Amino acid sequence: MKISFENPDNVNGLLTLTVEEPDYKADVEKTLKDYRKRAKEPGFRPGMVPMGLIKRQFGAAVKEDAINKFVGNQIYKYVKDNKIQMLGEPLPSDKQKPQDLSKEPPYTFIFDIAVAPEFKIALTGRDKIEYYNITVDDKLLDQQVDMFASRSGKYEQAKEYKDGDMLKGHLVELDEKGNALKNGISLDGAVIMPKYIKVEDQKKLFDNVKLGDVITFNPRKAYPDNDTEVSSLLKIDRKDVKDHTNDVTYQVSEIQRFVKHPVDQELFDSVFGKGTVKDEKEFREKIAVGVKAQLATDADYKFIQDVRAHCEKKVGKLAYPDALLKRIMLANNKDKDQAFVDKNYDESIKQLTWQLIKNQLVEANGIKVEEQDVKETAKEAARAQFAQYGMDNVPEEYINNYADEMLKKNQNSDALVDRTVDRKLTEVLKKVVKLDPKEISLDDFNKMMSK
């Protein structure tokens, strides 16, 4: 075997590999012997089929597989041994001449290899990066307390409608004269929330209604652009909404009012576990601890974004083998066309540049990602998901099980590894660079992040 590598412009590599018979012969012979052991041919005992027959049947395919395997292994070995930072997969070069494997070797294979641009990036205490401390103020705590009270709230019966109440009643479809439509819709327990009626004159018909009152309104006029609301109210298929444009009468049989849970011991126990919190002051303090942890995660995310912007500015514009990378991108997206590649190429290069920068930062700071690190990231993600539903006292056993399920799904695993790298890199870089602390409210932070 002979192998050579050319890289005249530092990013477009050309690897040439010449394969001789000794490179693949032993592998071919071993595979054919294995085939012979398993071959079943009429007139021959198992394992006694003549090797000549086996070669005629399988020899060409086995030889091709062996050569392809050898070539692939040698390419990756050469790249690794020579510390070539290859981007994507090798592609057959347009300089490649057809190789007839039925003829005697040698066979020559030529590949285009995209090489990462060379650059150096390092961060020190001379690099100043902003870090936003999101304040946990009374307004934010009030919102959190209100959220927990709402999640534990319930509907109670009322006698007179107030904005936001839910009504149940008997609904009858009318004809043009205001009488019950023959074979029209007649429903018991029809549910409506007037608060969400979009048209004001239809909405006002429900002002201050009481149990037993009868309202005449038009569902189609009340929800002119929402067939789903009409079909839900009338319990019909969406495609049939166009056939029901008449008025209806609606006699109120129930008025249900949502009432938030009192901020009391029962609420404290439901959120944080029985006896953990004794009064509202402790409740707010406990909430503040959880909110601070969540906001710290948000602040860290903003920090790593700012690190990225800072590093990209330091590195400047890098030269890439654009034509080759576009070919690789097209090869990796076989269901897409060149227009897709052209449209998404610039963004993919931005992401690639950040990944190359991040790789250097990770190596320079000796960051290692262990299995337990990824598990901890999965547990953090699990806690965050439970917290979205107000579940802050989930037992550790459930957190562990949920994290394990996340890790079992391959589409989650790579994302969790990336998040783990970001988490560990953030922890290290906050100690390496000079932090420029900024106090900011959550509202202002969210406005900043939405830009």
Side-chain angles (χ1 to χ4, degrees), residues 287-317:
I287 291 173
V289 171
V291 171
K292 283 179 181 177
Q294 183 178 343
L295 296 181
T297 300
D298 295 338
D300 284 350
Y301 175 75
K302 171 59 176 168
F303 171 74
I304 205 69
Q305 282 191 323
D306 289 343
V307 167
R308 173 177 177 172
H310 180 79
C311 291
E312 288 174 343
K313 186 176 180 180
K314 288 187 73 170
V315 167
K317 184 173 177 60

Side-chain angles (χ1 to χ4, degrees), residues 132-141 291-292 295 438-445:
Y132 290 89
N133 294 303
I134 308 171
T135 55
V136 181
D137 53 21
D138 285 338
K139 178 185 175 183
L140 180 54
L141 288 177
V291 171
K292 283 179 181 177
L295 296 181
K438 305 280 186 182
E439 297 292 321
I440 189 170
S441 70
L442 180 58
D443 286 344
D444 289 340
F445 182 82

Side-chain angles (χ1 to χ4, degrees), residues 52 220 259 301 413 440 450:
R220 179 71 280 176
V259 179
Y301 175 75
S413 297
I440 189 170
S450 66

Side-chain angles (χ1 to χ4, degrees), residues 5-14 84-91 111-119 317-330 338 341-342 345-346 348-350 352-353 356:
F5 182 70
E6 302 170 43
N7 187 22
D9 63 359
N10 297 321
V11 291
N12 285 283
L14 190 70
I84 298 170
Q85 198 168 5
M86 181 172 66
L87 302 175
E89 298 294 317
L91 290 182
F111 295 91
D112 290 324
I113 292 183
V115 181
E118 293 184 5
F119 66 93
K317 184 173 177 60
L318 300 176
Y320 284 95
D322 296 319
L324 179 52
L325 285 179
K326 287 183 178 182
R327 283 174 56 203
I328 293 172
M329 192 172 173
L330 188 60
Q338 189 64 45
V341 172
D342 293 338
Y345 180 74
D346 288 345
S348 71
I349 287 299
K350 286 178 63 177
L352 176 58
T353 299
L356 294 173

Side-chain angles (χ1 to χ4, degrees), residues 212-259:
D213 285 356
V214 178
I215 304 100
T216 299
F217 77 106
N218 189 294
R220 179 71 280 176
K221 292 179 181 177
Y223 306 103
D225 302 314
N226 197 328
D227 289 354
T228 300
E229 285 283 0
V230 179
S231 65
S232 176
L233 172 64
L234 301 181
K235 292 183 169 54
I236 58 176
D237 196 284
R238 280 188 61 189
K239 64 180 174 53
D240 297 326
V241 167
K242 64 182 185 302
D243 300 323
H244 297 271
T245 58
N246 294 347
D247 288 350
V248 301
T249 60
Y250 186 83
Q251 184 172 25
V252 180
S253 59
E254 285 186 48
I255 302 175
Q256 294 189 352
R257 181 167 300 153
F258 183 78
V259 179

Side-chain angles (χ1 to χ4, degrees), residues 93-299:
S93 173
D94 56 10
K95 297 180 180 180
Q96 175 72 58
K97 295 178 180 179
Q99 301 294 296
D100 186 351
L101 301 187
S102 65
K103 295 182 177 179
E104 293 298 312
Y107 312 113
T108 300
F109 301 94
I110 306 174
F111 295 91
D112 290 324
I113 292 183
V115 181
E118 293 184 5
F119 66 93
K120 292 291 183 183
I121 180 69
L123 295 177
T124 68
R126 291 190 294 273
D127 294 283
K128 189 176 182 180
I129 310 287
E130 292 178 333
Y131 189 86
Y132 290 89
N133 294 303
I134 308 171
T135 55
V136 181
D137 53 21
D138 285 338
K139 178 185 175 183
L140 180 54
L141 288 177
D142 289 342
Q143 291 172 347
Q144 293 293 307
V145 171
D146 187 69
M147 177 196 69
F148 285 119
S150 295
R151 285 176 175 169
S152 296
K154 63 181 179 180
Y155 280 95
E156 294 181 350
Q157 298 296 326
K159 295 182 179 180
E160 184 176 347
Y161 174 77
K162 289 184 179 180
D163 192 39
D165 289 350
M166 181 173 68
L167 304 180
K168 287 187 178 181
H170 181 65
L171 182 149
V172 177
E173 188 175 16
L174 305 178
D175 61 20
E176 293 179 356
K177 295 181 179 180
N179 300 315
L181 180 66
K182 185 179 180 180
N183 299 321
I185 294 172
S186 179
L187 293 172
D188 282 321
V191 175
I192 187 169
M193 293 189 74
K195 178 179 181 179
Y196 298 108
I197 292 177
K198 302 299 183 185
V199 179
E200 198 61 31
D201 63 344
Q202 294 289 312
K203 184 176 182 179
K204 280 184 174 295
L205 296 172
F206 292 86
D207 287 354
N208 303 316
V209 299
K210 301 178 181 64
L211 289 174
D213 285 356
V214 178
I215 304 100
T216 299
F217 77 106
N218 189 294
R220 179 71 280 176
K221 292 179 181 177
Y223 306 103
D225 302 314
N226 197 328
D227 289 354
T228 300
E229 285 283 0
V230 179
S231 65
S232 176
L233 172 64
L234 301 181
K235 292 183 169 54
I236 58 176
D237 196 284
R238 280 188 61 189
K239 64 180 174 53
D240 297 326
V241 167
K242 64 182 185 302
D243 300 323
H244 297 271
T245 58
N246 294 347
D247 288 350
V248 301
T249 60
Y250 186 83
Q251 184 172 25
V252 180
S253 59
E254 285 186 48
I255 302 175
Q256 294 189 352
R257 181 167 300 153
F258 183 78
V259 179
K260 296 175 184 177
H261 197 291
V263 182
D264 58 11
Q265 190 63 50
E266 185 177 50
L267 179 64
F268 307 155
D269 291 346
S270 69
V271 174
F272 292 113
K274 191 171 180 61
T276 303
V277 170
K278 300 294 192 301
D279 55 34
E280 186 173 351
K281 181 175 180 292
E282 287 187 11
F283 186 54
R284 292 172 71 89
E285 289 172 349
K286 190 78 171 174
I287 291 173
V289 171
V291 171
K292 283 179 181 177
Q294 183 178 343
L295 296 181
T297 300
D298 295 338

Side-chain angles (χ1 to χ4, degrees), residues 57 64-65 131 172 189 209 256 278 362-363 396 401 437:
Q57 289 182 333
E64 182 177 350
D65 287 345
Y131 189 86
V172 177
V209 299
Q256 294 189 352
K278 300 294 192 301
V362 166
E363 185 176 357
E396 193 66 17
N401 291 340

